[in-house]
Amino acid sequence: MDPFRKRLLEELEHMQQQHTGRILRGMSLLRMMPLVSEGWQPAADMYEAGDYIHVYFDLAGVAGDTLGVTVDGRHLHISGHRELPTHHAIACIHQLEIELGAFQRTVLLPAAVDVEGVESTYSNGILMVTLPKKSRKGKVSIRIMSGE
């Protein structure tokens, strides 16, 4: 199989897994019981603009001091914890959709990034991570060494 077709199939499989996961997370009963030990996964949007990659995470209600952001190669990892205020006089639950507890999410970046220039901000429940793409050097001459 040629590399293009292989990459395309990998991307389609990845999209199918994410879509299926989102559908399952949308079911109220499944929201009450975590599917994996890492907790829930926040929604993410990723954009590429010029020399930067911008990634946004939906983290409404997450305290900023619980957030962690790391970049490892072409992977962006975030983690944190969300809790809601407790209500002591609950008699009946009619709807339960907001995912609570620990979370982590890893996204594959579309290009290599300069890890020294990564910046993140958290405002109004949105974590914004800006990653500068590694600049490609232009034409490079390679000196050939004699094997003698």
Side-chain angles (χ1 to χ4, degrees):
M1 181 181 302
D2 66 282
F4 176 76
R5 284 181 188 225
K6 183 178 179 184
R7 179 72 178 151
L8 180 61
L9 288 175
E10 288 171 356
E11 287 295 325
L12 288 172
E13 183 178 334
H14 180 70
M15 287 172 56
Q16 179 183 8
Q17 289 171 351
Q18 282 188 323
H19 184 65
T20 302
R22 183 166 285 195
I23 290 170
L24 291 175
R25 286 193 309 271
M27 300 174 145
S28 295
L29 180 60
L30 290 175
R31 286 180 178 272
M32 294 172 20
M33 298 176 290
L35 294 174
V36 291
S37 61
E38 292 88 22
W40 58 281
Q41 291 190 349
D45 289 344
M46 186 180 317
Y47 305 96
E48 193 169 346
D51 295 334
Y52 292 90
I53 298 168
H54 303 278
V55 187
Y56 299 86
F57 295 95
D58 180 4
L59 300 174
V62 174
D65 61 350
T66 69
L67 293 174
V69 177
T70 58
V71 179
D72 177 21
R74 286 187 50 196
H75 293 91
L76 170 62
H77 309 277
I78 67 157
S79 61
H81 196 267
R82 175 166 58 195
E83 290 297 327
L84 294 180
T86 57
H87 299 280
H88 300 289
I90 294 176
C92 181
I93 297 173
H94 293 279
Q95 192 162 332
L96 189 60
E97 295 182 6
I98 298 173
E99 296 170 287
L100 301 174
F103 66 87
Q104 64 181 30
R105 176 86 191 259
T106 299
V107 294
L108 177 63
L109 301 170
V113 297
D114 176 9
V115 295
E116 299 298 321
V118 175
E119 295 179 355
S120 65
T121 57
Y122 183 56
S123 177
N124 297 323
I126 301 292
L127 174 65
M128 299 164 279
V129 184
T130 301
L131 307 110
K133 293 191 281 187
K134 275 192 178 175
S135 61
R136 294 185 179 172
K137 307 294 183 208
K139 187 175 181 180
V140 177
S141 295
I142 308 296
R143 187 173 66 148
I144 300 172
M145 304 290 288
S146 172
E148 298 173 359

